[in-house]
């Protein structure tokens, strides 16, 4: 009979898996948002034949159910379902070393889950643990004397870590990029389209964090190169084709090339409709954008993001109508924006971007009490997600200015909260200096405060503001 003798079996605790990668440290995104995005991606599998394995997604999703992230209510049963599905997915993998990597991580994750959830007297779990130890020993130690194969297995394991890291905020992006690059070097003949696509997106995200409002950002051509490589490996990767078009669309001299690429995309699933809509909205081709979204709306299960894109189009059209003094259209656009924001939140109630847009929508329509209540709720709910909090605080300060029709002491206090959060982020994460120093919301907040204090002759507050921010380099 198997017994629970953890002290004699500690070797497995050093096997690489989600529980030893320190994923919970320095996370700058909301945990629930991560889960929702993964679930949405899993839903996509019903509509799309993925060329690459979904093991990295399933393993990470299972881990989230029993992780140490803030506000996690552990669910071992749910985690086990994801881990078992990853095992079944691994069996389909034709590459023996890749399969070995997935089986290794799944077994190690399940052992950590048992350690977190069971007691030494739990005999059934003790037997399950003994079985998992055997599976892990067979997979992990199988190639321990073959250096070349061991290196390749480590590279495959690294891509699973990279998948998780790439979804946990800006502080994790560099390590995710490093792991993808390492895998592509070691597994030169087995590089996957999804790795190249992910690497391109990571390069773009890191650059955009320091680009301010400009559409141009550093390393964009490197991002383009990896999306092209993804398509070379898998010409049917329509998602990567859209990402390539989106990147090229930010290079003025290549916009026409980007349009030709996006027009070649004809797959009929929601992720594609969303990306095409983002492209045409970015090019201010709103009629084409709405045509794409209406086609996507006909799908059996449109996603929250598809409805959000609808709302963003009508938000843009509202601004244009104001600028062109076509005031008879503003009411229609405002109502349609509000309608699609509601539909998006019905599917994903915790999407911070949609919530902030809804608060702004309330403000535009004069529903100031609803707007303020929602802004306050957002700032409370996302206080552990630094950049979400920063965005919500900035939008709230702008709302107060709009409601008062001027910059006053109340709005100055609100902009001060943006500065306070920026300083707090840097005191906790000093590696984010570039991101904060170039953050549009932080820079505008400081500028508004400087103007206000200068206009009101409050030299002490002006000096204090500049002193505080200079300590952190912004």
């Amino acid at each position: 009979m198997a017994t629970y003798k953890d002290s004699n079996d500690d070797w497995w605790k050093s096997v690489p898996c989600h529980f030893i990668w320190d994923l919970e440290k320095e996370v700058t995104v909301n945990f629930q948002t991560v889960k929702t995005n993964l679930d949405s991606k899993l839903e996509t599998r019903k509509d799309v034949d993925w060329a690459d394995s979904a093991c990295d997604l399933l393993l990470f999703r299972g881990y989230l159910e029993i992780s140490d992230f803030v506000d996690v209510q552990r669910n071992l049963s749910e985690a086990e379902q994801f881990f078992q599905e990853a095992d079944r997915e691994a069996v389909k993998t034709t590459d023996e070393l890749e399969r070995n990597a997935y089986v290794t991580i799944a077994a190690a994750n399940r052992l950590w889950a048992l350690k977190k959830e069971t007691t030494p007297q739990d005999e059934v779990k003790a037997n399950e643990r003994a079985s998992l130890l055997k599976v892990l020993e067979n997979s992990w130690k199988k190639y321990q004397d073959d250096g070349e194969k061991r290196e390749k297995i480590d590279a495959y394991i690294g891509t699973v870590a990279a998948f998780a890291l790439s979804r946990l905020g800006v502080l994790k992006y560099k390590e995710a990029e490093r792991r993808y690059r390492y895998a592509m070097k070691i597994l030169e003949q087995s590089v996957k389209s999804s790795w190249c696509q992910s690497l391109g997106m990571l390069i773009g995200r890191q650059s955009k964090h320091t680009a301010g409002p400009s559409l141009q950002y550093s390393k964009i051509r490197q991002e383009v190169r990896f999306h092209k490589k993804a398509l070379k490996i898998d010409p049917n990767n329509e998602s990567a084709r859209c990402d390539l078009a989106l990147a090229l669309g930010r290079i003025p001299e290549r916009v026409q090339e980007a349009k030709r690429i996006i027009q070649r995309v004809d797959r009929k699933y929601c992720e594609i409709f969303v990306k095409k809509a983002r492209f045409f909205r970015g090019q201010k081709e709103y009629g084409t954008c709405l045509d794409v979204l209406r086609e996507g709306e006909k799908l059996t299960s449109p996603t929250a993001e598809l409805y959000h894109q609808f709302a963003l189009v009508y938000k843009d059209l509202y601004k244009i109508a104001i600028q062109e003094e076509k005031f008879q259209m503003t009411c229609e656009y405002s109502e349609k924006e509000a309608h699609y924001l509601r539909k998006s939140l019905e599917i994903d109630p915790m999407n911070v971007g949609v919530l902030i847009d809804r608060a702004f929508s309330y403000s535009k329509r004069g529903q100031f009490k609803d707007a303020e209540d929602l802004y306050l709720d957002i700032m409370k709910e996302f206080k552990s997600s630094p950049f979400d909090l920063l965005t919500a605080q900035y939008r709230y300060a702008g709302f107060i200015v709009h409601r008062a029709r001027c910059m006053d002491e109340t709005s100055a206090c609100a902009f001060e909260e943006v500065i306070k959060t920026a300083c707090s982020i840097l005191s906790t994460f000093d590696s984010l200096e570039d991101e904060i120093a170039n953050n549009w919301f932080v820079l505008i907040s400081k500028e508004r405060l400087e103007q206000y204090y200068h206009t009101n002759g409050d030299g002490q507050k002006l000096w204090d503001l500049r002193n505080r921010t200079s300590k952190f380099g912004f």
Side-chain angles (χ1 to χ4, degrees), residues 225-245:
R225 180 163 62 86
F226 280 109
H227 289 318
K228 284 187 172 181
K229 189 170 183 178
L231 285 166
K232 185 175 181 180
I233 295 170
D234 179 11
N236 294 319
N237 187 343
E238 296 284 58
S239 176
R241 199 180 309 282
C242 289
D243 289 338
L244 173 60

Side-chain angles (χ1 to χ4, degrees), residues 246 274-290 292-293 305 308-317 319 357:
L246 283 162
V274 167
K275 289 188 174 185
K276 289 177 73 173
R278 284 175 52 208
F279 175 85
F280 288 116
R281 187 170 63 83
Q283 299 302 321
K284 296 181 171 51
E285 296 185 17
Y286 297 114
T288 305
C289 183
L290 286 172
V292 169
L293 290 170
E305 182 56 28
H308 190 204
Q309 289 298 318
F310 263 117
L312 291 173
V313 172
Y314 287 114
K315 180 180 180 180
D316 287 352
L317 291 173
K319 291 179 185 176
D357 282 343

Side-chain angles (χ1 to χ4, degrees), residues 18 21 38 42 45 50 52-63 82-93 98-106 109 156 159-161 163-164 192 194:
H18 294 80
W21 288 328
L38 290 174
L42 281 171
R45 297 177 72 208
W50 285 1
D52 296 343
S53 170
C55 284
D56 48 8
L57 195 161
L58 292 164
L59 290 167
F60 183 39
R61 185 62 184 83
Y63 160 78
F82 284 113
F83 293 149
Q84 288 179 4
E85 189 174 353
D87 272 333
R88 291 191 293 271
E89 190 80 13
V91 172
K92 304 174 188 176
T93 305
E98 181 183 5
R99 182 167 61 251
N100 178 283
Y102 296 146
V103 170
T104 295
I105 297 172
N109 276 359
Y156 276 119
T159 65
V160 178
F163 179 92
K192 295 181 177 295
S194 61

Side-chain angles (χ1 to χ4, degrees), residues 284-400:
K284 296 181 171 51
E285 296 185 17
Y286 297 114
T288 305
C289 183
L290 286 172
D291 288 342
V292 169
L293 290 170
R294 286 168 185 143
E295 192 173 357
E297 193 176 19
K298 296 174 185 176
L299 295 174
T300 306
S301 301
T303 62
E305 182 56 28
L306 185 125
Y307 288 127
H308 190 204
Q309 289 298 318
F310 263 117
L312 291 173
V313 172
Y314 287 114
K315 180 180 180 180
D316 287 352
L317 291 173
Y318 176 91
K319 291 179 185 176
I320 293 170
I322 291 289
Q323 292 167 358
E324 296 179 351
E325 298 184 355
K326 296 179 179 178
F327 301 117
Q328 71 277 12
M329 300 299 297
T330 57
C331 183
E332 177 186 345
Y333 291 148
S334 179
E335 288 301 320
K336 286 185 176 179
E337 178 191 357
H339 168 73
Y340 284 110
L341 288 172
R342 283 195 300 271
K343 289 180 77 69
S344 182
L345 289 169
E346 285 171 6
I347 300 171
D348 181 6
M350 293 302 294
N351 187 308
V352 64
V354 183
L355 287 168
I356 289 173
D357 282 343
R358 190 179 202 185
F360 184 64
S361 174
Y362 281 145
S363 174
K364 283 192 301 189
R365 289 179 290 132
Q367 297 174 243
F368 295 141
K369 179 67 166 59
D370 291 331
E372 182 164 30
D373 288 347
L374 184 51
Y375 276 124
L376 294 175
D377 285 345
I378 296 167
M379 289 186 286
K380 180 180 178 181
E381 185 66 37
F382 292 90
K383 62 184 178 182
S384 62
S385 179
F387 287 100
D388 290 336
L389 176 61
L390 205 62
T391 304
Q393 288 175 327
Y394 175 79
R395 296 298 186 194
Y396 178 60
F399 156 72
I400 293 176

Side-chain angles (χ1 to χ4, degrees), residues 137-196:
E137 185 170 14
N138 287 339
S139 64
W140 182 239
K141 298 183 177 181
K142 185 175 182 179
Y143 299 106
Q144 63 181 357
D145 297 324
D146 189 325
E148 183 179 348
K149 289 184 177 179
R150 179 79 266 156
E151 188 176 43
K152 289 183 177 180
I153 290 171
D154 288 344
Y156 276 119
I157 289 174
T159 65
V160 178
F163 179 92
L165 290 162
S166 67
R167 282 152 177 81
L168 295 174
V170 64
L171 286 170
K172 303 288 191 180
Y173 291 163
K174 185 59 68 178
E175 177 61 12
E177 179 185 344
R178 185 192 69 79
R179 287 178 181 261
Y180 274 129
R181 287 186 184 275
Y182 175 77
M184 292 167 69
K185 177 182 176 182
I186 300 301
L187 302 165
E188 188 176 359
Q189 304 303 315
S190 305
V191 173
K192 295 181 177 295
S193 178
S194 61
W195 301 349
C196 298

